[in-house]
Amino acid sequence: MNVIIQHMPVNILSIWFNIMGWGMIILWIIIRYRIQKEKPAIWKAVLAALAGIISFSWNMMLMDMVVRIAVLPLGVWILHFFLRKHRYEIYRPYAWIGFWSNYIFLAAMLLSTMIHSVMYPINNADTYLANVEQAVLIPTHPTAPQAVLHPKQLRSLIPKLEQAEDQTYTWYSQTSTKGKPDYQMERIPYVVINTHARWGSGLQSMVYLERDGKGLLITTEKRQFYYRSEEPLVEIGGGE
């Protein structure tokens, strides 16, 4: 019996930089609190900072992701509207700390993304197939040839995989133009489960195997990667 093992993906860099971002904000609040002559209740200062985070933001695509750039300090304005002038003067610095913290988090996200791309190259098959010890091959099409996956063999061949042009559209065109039933033309009749990306990458993917056992299609949330191997990744026609 094959056991399907699910690992919760964790983006360790994102977590680390978020912790650092919060640490900087807390330190900023503490420093401001210590130098302030008329001190508010510390919990009220923290609430003012949290309120200051509220902002009108402009969304834009950067580094293949949507980032939010704070433009208008809505939280600061809200406090100005609801607090009396004297009380507002006391809490205003913390509200502005909250607003500028948006940029601290933005910088943390960009830094973590850049370092992530170096530590976990998205074009490398090994990034997505770091652990294949419990890999299981499942046919997803009735015409899939009998095949057996040997995890150790697959592990040894992963470093030799070469990225090739994704031929998904070409295969679909061939299927549509040859006039044969789809079940006779399926090029990727297997899915490989129980594979895990490198620890800490936070990456999730679906891994598909081509009919000849030499083509591997890795699909992530944002893109697809197609790899070819000179040797079969599985034993085609092998018995149990």
Side-chain angles (χ1 to χ4, degrees):
M1 178 183 294
N2 293 319
V3 179
I4 300 177
I5 303 175
Q6 296 292 337
H7 287 208
M8 182 65 68
V10 176
N11 188 330
I12 194 67
L13 288 173
S14 178
I15 294 173
W16 174 247
F17 274 93
N18 268 294
I19 292 174
M20 288 181 61
W22 278 111
M24 291 176 63
I25 294 166
I26 292 172
L27 181 61
W28 193 356
I29 291 174
I30 292 173
I31 292 173
R32 177 64 203 184
Y33 187 81
R34 286 183 174 179
I35 65 175
Q36 191 169 7
K37 293 182 178 180
E38 185 175 355
K39 303 183 189 301
I42 186 63
W43 67 270
K44 291 183 179 180
V46 172
L47 285 180
L50 292 175
I53 294 177
I54 302 173
S55 65
F56 176 81
S57 301
W58 176 46
N59 296 337
M60 64 175 294
M61 289 296 299
L62 187 63
M63 300 174 64
D64 201 26
M65 61 183 176
V66 178
V67 298
R68 299 181 60 188
I69 301 177
V71 179
L72 300 177
L74 299 182
V76 178
W77 294 348
I78 290 172
L79 288 179
H80 183 269
F81 180 79
F82 283 101
L83 295 179
R84 294 179 180 178
K85 183 177 180 181
H86 177 68
R87 302 302 296 172
Y88 174 69
E89 292 299 322
I90 296 175
Y91 291 105
R92 181 178 61 180
Y94 304 100
W96 278 109
I97 289 174
F99 174 75
W100 292 117
S101 69
N102 286 293
Y103 289 89
I104 293 177
F105 288 128
L106 176 61
M109 181 178 64
L110 294 177
L111 282 172
S112 68
T113 301
M114 288 188 291
I115 297 176
H116 188 281
S117 66
V118 175
M119 292 182 60
Y120 308 103
I122 62 172
N123 293 326
N124 290 1
D126 187 71
T127 299
Y128 307 96
L129 301 171
N131 185 342
V132 295
E133 300 305 317
Q134 302 295 327
V136 177
L137 185 70
I138 297 180
T140 58
H141 201 268
T143 61
Q146 185 178 10
V148 176
L149 184 150
H150 301 290
K152 289 185 178 179
Q153 176 187 359
L154 177 60
R155 175 70 265 173
S156 66
L157 292 174
I158 288 173
K160 301 177 183 179
L161 290 173
E162 295 184 0
Q163 189 172 3
E165 183 180 355
D166 184 358
Q167 302 182 43
T168 305
Y169 179 77
T170 302
W171 295 337
Y172 176 80
S173 300
Q174 291 174 349
T175 301
S176 303
T177 57
K178 287 193 175 182
K180 296 182 180 181
D182 288 349
Y183 69 83
Q184 295 183 18
M185 298 299 298
E186 181 59 53
R187 296 291 297 266
I188 307 180
Y190 309 101
V191 62
V192 184
I193 63 172
N194 278 6
T195 63
H196 307 292
R198 290 177 59 187
W199 185 87
S201 67
L203 295 171
Q204 285 184 296
S205 65
M206 290 294 295
V207 183
Y208 301 93
L209 186 68
E210 198 173 348
R211 176 179 290 273
D212 64 0
K214 297 182 179 181
L216 204 64
L217 182 68
I218 298 179
T219 302
T220 68
E221 183 181 357
K222 296 181 179 180
R223 53 175 66 84
Q224 290 183 328
F225 302 95
Y226 178 63
Y227 302 90
R228 291 291 298 177
S229 171
E230 294 184 359
E231 303 175 47
L233 300 169
V234 299
E235 184 182 349
I236 301 293
E240 295 289 347

